[in-house]
Amino acid sequence: MTNVAIIGTQWGDEGKGKVVDLLSDRAELIVRFQGGNNAGHTLVVGDQTFALHTVPSGVLRPGKISVIASGVVVDPEDLLLEIRALNERGARISPATLKISDKAHMILPYHRLLDSAREKDSAGQLLGTTGRGIGPTYEDKAARIGLRLGDLRSEEVLRARLTLALREKNCLFQNLYGVPTLKVEDLLKRAQPWRSELVPYLTDTADLIQKAQAAGRHILFEGAQGVQLDLDHGTYPYVTSSNPTTGAVAVGTGLAPRELENVLGLVKAYTSRVGEGPFPTELGDETGEFIRQRGQEFGTTTGRPRRCGWLDAVVVRSAVRLCGVERLAVTKLDVLSGLKELKIACHYELDGQLLDQVPADFRDLARCRPVYETVPGFSEDIQRARKLADLPAAAQTYLRLVEKLVGRPTALVSVGPERSETIVSHEYF
Ligand code: IMP
């Protein structure tokens, strides 16, 4: 077995960072394949907490190669700040350990400006984005007016591409959103440090990954966000602008689809969502607040309180089908300790019909009523459990119910934020 993709099966924030960090112990390459700095992964190593946004979560392991592949969108300014901040805390990131695709698109100041102008536009559509410019950057990529990191190599190319992109953007800023326009020369000046500092990291990452795969090296593909935020398969339009589903591993890295060997689906023991959009198992009561506080469910990227609710097996089952998930990693089980009873949605009810799939239209999903299975809760502190048998009987019953409703076995259970606070029942590498 040489590679594993880590996929979020819900609305993101499933605790992928910790699991990637854990598995990267035995992986040689750790690869981000989609999304951008809208992602936020919190890692706890010893007494230090690290919040990562663009850099893969394996970067804290010495001797590993971290890869930002072509499917990722990169904010050069933000990435340089992240690298500097991590290095100040002893991470030792350098072009030898971090490889960035020269085909990855750049998030530029006008993308962030457009993202926030749209969110503030009262006549527009409020999505609750992270405001990082992710959507506008992927739009420009598809419209073929984007700038790739490789364009940093030539000032002439940069000037020509920025001039083209700003024609339309400035028209929108001036005439639709009433915000100040941007100048090509100012952006070129701002890009100077990106050019000198980031170009040494750029390389053909598809070639690197293909060769690593051919040599049988262990590769970890680190997803960002979750399946219900997928541009095609999520709760459109309340989604992100990339594909967090498994198919994006191939497209976003250049690895042939048939070469992907394992898909580990990350399932938080409950559900959270940040931003707008339907969420059938949301709890607007004190149980939701209990979960939010105990789980520290506040956005790593924006600090927003996350909406919290019961685990939704309909959502996770759809991720299993869409992504070919063959094992589950159940995270943050410890957060549920202290609740008298626990519920998992096994179906939805809509207009008198039972559904076992997420409906395509978000308006229908908003009308779905979850049908729950209820089991007794547990109150013990489970952070010291290192095997399934260490867990209280009620926690074991809960896990078995998850496996039954989702139809997949558990490979790993996280019982606390630390690397060591994990029950591993299946080794990948
Ligand atoms: P965008 O990705 O910033 O365009 O935001 C679109 C939607 O995806 C919003 O609801 C965001 O809150 C959500 N989103 C984006 N990235 C993440 C993430 O890493 N975790 C959870 N939600 C996210």
Side-chain angles (χ1 to χ4, degrees):
M1 290 194 182
T2 58
N3 66 43
V4 188
I6 307 289
I7 301 290
T9 63
Q10 296 156 310
W11 274 281
D13 307 316
E14 295 92 354
K16 293 180 285 291
K18 170 181 158 169
V19 174
V20 171
D21 175 60
L22 197 75
L23 294 189
S24 59
D25 182 25
R26 300 205 199 154
E28 292 158 87
L29 262 73
I30 299 97
V31 183
R32 281 262 332 247
F33 57 91
Q34 48 75 227
N37 57 342
N38 47 351
H41 292 163
T42 309
L43 298 182
V44 180
V45 184
D47 56 2
Q48 294 211 73
T49 301
F50 298 86
L52 306 179
H53 296 284
T54 304
V55 171
S57 302
V59 82
L60 300 178
R61 299 267 190 190
K64 312 292 174 184
I65 303 283
S66 293
V67 181
I68 298 175
S70 59
V72 178
V73 288
V74 176
D75 184 323
E77 227 153 52
D78 205 55
L79 175 62
L80 285 170
L81 285 177
E82 190 168 334
I83 292 174
R84 245 172 258 148
L86 286 166
N87 279 346
E88 275 163 19
R89 295 173 71 186
R92 299 218 195 130
I93 300 170
S94 74
T97 59
L98 175 65
K99 311 284 182 187
I100 308 178
S101 170
D102 42 15
K103 294 182 192 162
H105 278 246
M106 281 193 274
I107 304 173
L108 292 158
Y110 50 83
H111 295 126
R112 288 195 299 267
L113 200 57
L114 187 54
D115 198 354
S116 64
R118 280 182 183 152
E119 287 283 299
K120 285 184 197 138
D121 176 17
S122 56
Q125 166 178 253
L126 178 69
L127 297 174
T129 72
T130 60
R132 295 292 188 269
I134 306 297
T137 306
Y138 279 114
E139 279 168 49
D140 280 5
K141 177 177 177 175
R144 286 141 302 166
I145 55 165
L147 275 81
R148 310 205 290 189
L149 281 163
D151 294 338
L152 287 174
R153 293 191 179 111
S154 154
E155 183 162 331
E156 202 183 318
V157 171
L158 267 186
R159 179 175 278 107
R161 300 297 294 172
L162 285 170
T163 305
L164 183 68
L166 277 184
R167 272 189 77 215
E168 286 182 24
K169 294 293 178 298
N170 277 339
C171 185
L172 285 175
F173 293 151
Q174 190 166 357
N175 299 310
L176 184 61
Y177 296 115
V179 295
T181 55
L182 299 180
K183 293 191 182 65
V184 172
E185 291 309 318
D186 292 345
L187 289 179
L188 279 173
K189 212 181 285 165
R190 212 159 151 179
Q192 280 308 326
W194 315 342
R195 301 189 59 203
S196 54
E197 291 181 52
L198 277 183
V199 169
Y201 287 89
L202 302 185
T203 189
D204 181 346
T205 55
D207 183 59
L208 180 83
I209 291 164
Q210 288 155 5
K211 285 186 175 140
Q213 173 70 14
R217 295 173 69 190
H218 296 328
I219 311 174
L220 206 54
F221 295 101
E222 171 180 351
Q225 292 89 41
V227 168
Q228 288 304 323
L229 289 173
D230 186 278
L231 182 59
D232 289 76
H233 300 287
T235 49
Y236 190 89
Y238 299 102
V239 292
T240 191
S241 298
S242 67
N243 297 99
T245 35
T246 310
V249 173
V251 177
T253 67
L255 183 84
R258 61 190 295 171
E259 311 247 44
L260 182 63
E261 290 160 30
N262 301 281
V263 183
L264 178 64
L266 271 273
V267 181
K268 189 153 60 178
Y270 49 91
T271 312
S272 70
R273 171 163 208 174
V274 55
E276 304 299 313
F279 176 0
T281 62
E282 183 169 12
L283 291 165
D285 58 7
E286 69 273 15
T287 305
E289 189 55 31
F290 173 91
I291 294 174
R292 179 160 38 251
Q293 293 303 333
R294 259 187 78 84
Q296 280 303 292
E297 293 295 346
F298 299 90
T300 318
T301 301
T302 58
R304 289 179 288 179
R306 296 181 185 137
R307 300 156 63 192
C308 294
W310 296 121
L311 181 58
D312 186 338
V314 186
V315 157
V316 180
R317 279 201 298 266
S318 86
V320 165
R321 283 191 298 265
L322 277 165
C323 296
V325 168
E326 76 290 281
R327 284 197 170 76
L328 310 177
V330 178
T331 60
K332 297 185 99 166
L333 184 63
D334 54 305
V335 171
L336 296 182
S337 172
L339 291 169
K340 227 156 121 195
E341 54 182 27
L342 302 171
K343 291 176 192 277
I344 303 180
C346 45
H347 291 98
Y348 298 147
E349 195 195 303
L350 181 66
D351 299 330
Q353 305 248 339
L354 266 194
L355 304 186
D356 66 356
Q357 305 227 30
V358 181
D361 191 316
F362 79 91
R363 298 164 197 89
D364 290 334
L365 183 61
R367 292 193 304 116
C368 281
R369 285 196 24 241
V371 179
Y372 288 114
E373 281 210 25
T374 305
V375 289
F378 53 94
S379 55
E380 293 87 341
D381 175 2
I382 61 168
Q383 283 192 234
R384 275 185 289 277
R386 295 295 175 268
K387 38 189 200 313
L388 289 171
D390 295 340
L391 291 172
Q396 293 186 37
T397 304
Y398 186 75
L399 285 175
R400 276 198 296 272
L401 181 60
V402 175
E403 291 181 328
K404 185 185 111 193
L405 291 176
V406 170
R408 290 293 182 274
T410 302
L412 184 156
V413 182
S414 173
V415 291
E418 270 276 5
R419 277 175 185 166
S420 61
E421 292 168 336
T422 314
I423 298 170
V424 179
S425 45
H426 177 86
E427 298 277 5
Y428 276 99
F429 299 122

